[in-house]
Amino acid sequence: MRAASGGREPSSSSAAVVALRALLIATACGLVFALLNLPDGRAGSAPPGGERGAGAGGGARLSVEQGLIREARRLNTIAEEIDGQSDESAAEEDERISKSPPDTKEKIWMMQDQLIMAKAYLHFASPQGSAHLVRELKSRIKEIERAISHSSGGSHIPGSALQKMKAMEQTLSKAQRTYPRCSQMTSKLRAMAHNSEELVRAHRSESSFLEQVAVRTLPKGHHCLAMRLTTEYFSLDPKERQFPKRDSRQLDGYYHYAIFSDNVLASAVVVNSTIAQSKDPGRIMLHIVTDALNCPAMMMWFLTNPPTPAAVEVESLDDFKWLPGDFSSRFKLKGVRDPRYTSALNHLRFYLPEVFPSLSKVLLLDHDVVIQTDLSELWGIDMKGKVIGAVETCSSGEGYHRLDNLVDFSNPTIVNKFDAKACIFAFGMNIFDLNEWRKQGLTATYHTWFQVGKRQRLWKAGSLPLGQLVFYNQTLPLDRRWHVLGLGHDFSIGRDELENAYVIHYSGKFKPWLEISIPKYRDNWNRHLNYDNAYLQQCNIHG
């Protein structure tokens, strides 16, 4: 776990996590060994050939063994969740195994089970009494680990791997006959397992707290950048604070992109990636709306780093005098501190026709996306009378992508108007038909549902649940390549899916500008920033 300031925690904490992880693995493996040899009459000794499942006793042994191996895996998974640096490699390994045919996956799982058993015996082996067996177990463990590595993601298990599995089975049978039963050790291991679980819970609680701090706290370098840019902005002559092409900013001859953000670097990446992928950047008009506090810094960044040949404008929420007086504070909820859910900028999307009164279409981008292809095609899509074009998130059929996961369907007001199993669409990359929006009067619909939500908590925090209600039956589904989500929480997104995506979205807590971001996705974001920039150098911001 990294601290909120971007640095590592003290070495003692890291050492404690490593030690805990080792203890968990050893405890789980030891529990498998000791419990398998309980003198309870249900599981007899393995036959000389090491075969399992022969007769009723063998069936009971197999059942107990499988259950304990699953427990060992569970404890190991918990340990890996605490040690965040192992998550990526574990996810990649799982991805490779998942691509294997069913028979191959079954064999790989069997080899993983053999590893757990072998490490259990090795943990309790006495080098003085069975040096030969210890060497044999270590050799077999290395062989099986190599076999798993070579077999993952393949179409079949090589014959050599099957031979190593058979050799390991024979070694395990030999080890099982060598070590006696020990009920006292079983009791001790159960106590160790209980203590380890308590430590895991404590560390997970601490880890969750520190993670939330890291998510909500602006890194020191970003704070420095905002301060320097703000200072430089107010040192400019008022005439130097203007962007070119202001008179053409509302014309429909341009491709209009809107970004509502209080993060300078995040906005810079969206702008830079959009320009880099565009076939006709001279027709792009970028509209950035931020809050009053960050407006000078945002202005200064794009004055000194103009997205030529595109045009850009930066506005503050305070420039929109038609907004309700309490707009900047009305979305704060008791018990909800995450800025992703309480930001007024997130709810500004429901006022797009008022923000851009002269436009017929606009593409809204969240500040945690990266553009990977030319987006001009979206302006030519037939919207079929719908207001918003969006990617649906329920293509895989999981229930948590349905409307009843966000909205309380126990309320009659909700039940009578919406389908609980309706698919959720994604915010973050959306094309809007503003003329149709005005025709349907959806801003008034938003106001109605917002007032309902103020009287009674009917949906989860944030703008996404409310958006599902406002744009219900007004959404045109887009090809999912237009918007690949989850880079801020999902470790399992494959390289092919990432490279083929038109827009990638770091939705989730692990934003790419934070040190707690997922390492294998960082380069897709970092490549759109010039870290030789003087401001970034002065504030010690590096990729």
Side-chain angles (χ1 to χ4, degrees), residues 391-402 421-424 478 480 485 489-490 492 497:
V391 168
E392 294 182 329
T393 62
C394 58
S395 56
S396 57
E398 290 96 338
Y400 59 85
H401 291 309
R402 304 292 174 173
K421 301 306 177 184
C423 186
I424 293 174
L478 301 177
R480 69 183 311 270
L485 301 98
H489 67 87
D490 187 352
S492 65
E497 183 178 9

Side-chain angles (χ1 to χ4, degrees), residues 50 58 149 161 171 192 235 322-323 346 359 363 434 450 457 542:
S149 177
T171 301
M192 290 173 62
S235 69
W322 42 264
L323 282 173
N346 277 342
L359 296 185
L363 182 64
L434 300 184
F450 181 78
R457 188 80 171 268
H542 305 288

Side-chain angles (χ1 to χ4, degrees), residues 183-331:
S183 58
Q184 290 182 345
M185 183 172 289
T186 299
S187 299
K188 181 178 179 180
L189 287 173
R190 283 174 175 160
M192 290 173 62
H194 174 75
N195 291 337
S196 296
E197 290 280 9
E198 291 299 318
L199 283 172
V200 166
R201 278 191 283 271
H203 278 276
R204 291 185 71 174
S205 177
E206 180 184 358
S207 173
S208 177
F209 172 76
L210 292 175
E211 180 182 288
Q212 290 299 321
V213 170
V215 168
R216 299 174 191 169
T217 305
L218 186 70
K220 182 170 65 175
H222 290 235
H223 180 74
C224 164
L225 177 65
M227 293 298 98
R228 284 185 175 274
L229 289 170
T230 300
T231 302
E232 294 284 344
Y233 176 79
F234 284 113
S235 69
L236 292 177
D237 185 279
K239 295 180 181 179
E240 298 176 313
R241 300 176 187 175
Q242 304 297 321
F243 291 104
K245 298 187 179 180
R246 288 185 61 86
D247 294 338
S248 63
R249 66 188 181 92
Q250 294 284 345
L251 297 180
D252 268 337
Y254 282 77
Y255 298 125
H256 291 268
Y257 296 82
I259 305 163
F260 301 157
S261 172
D262 57 1
N263 188 313
V264 173
L265 282 190
S267 301
V269 169
V270 179
V271 169
N272 293 345
S273 62
T274 300
I275 302 303
Q277 299 299 331
S278 175
K279 296 177 181 177
D280 190 4
R283 291 184 61 193
I284 288 179
M285 181 70 209
L286 297 146
H287 306 267
I288 301 173
V289 180
T290 186
D291 54 29
L293 180 65
N294 290 282
C295 192
M298 195 78 75
M299 290 279 291
M300 190 64 195
W301 176 268
F302 287 105
L303 283 170
T304 55
N305 299 277
T308 310
V312 64
E313 70 168 1
V314 177
E315 295 180 278
S316 168
L317 280 174
D318 288 359
D319 295 334
F320 304 139
K321 304 302 182 183
W322 42 264
L323 282 173
D326 65 340
F327 185 77
S328 295
S329 60
R330 60 163 51 182
F331 307 107

Side-chain angles (χ1 to χ4, degrees), residues 86-103:
S86 66
D87 284 344
E88 182 183 1
S89 59
E92 290 175 348
E93 178 68 16
D94 288 342
E95 182 183 353
R96 288 196 298 270
I97 294 176
S98 68
K99 294 178 180 178
S100 304
D103 290 345

Side-chain angles (χ1 to χ4, degrees), residues 116-185:
I116 292 175
M117 294 297 296
K119 290 178 180 179
Y121 286 124
L122 185 61
H123 179 70
F124 291 103
S126 171
Q128 293 80 12
S130 52
H132 174 74
L133 182 58
V134 168
R135 289 195 298 270
E136 186 174 342
L137 281 169
K138 289 182 177 179
S139 176
R140 295 285 183 259
I141 288 171
K142 290 181 180 179
E143 290 177 355
I144 292 296
E145 286 176 339
R146 284 195 294 266
I148 291 174
S149 177
H150 294 157
S151 302
S152 299
S155 59
H156 68 283
I157 296 291
S160 59
L162 296 176
Q163 292 175 356
K164 291 173 182 176
M165 288 177 65
K166 186 175 181 180
M168 173 63 93
E169 189 67 26
Q170 292 172 351
T171 301
L172 290 175
S173 179
K174 185 188 304 182
Q176 191 173 24
R177 294 193 301 271
T178 300
Y179 301 117
R181 299 172 179 143
C182 184
S183 58
Q184 290 182 345
M185 183 172 289

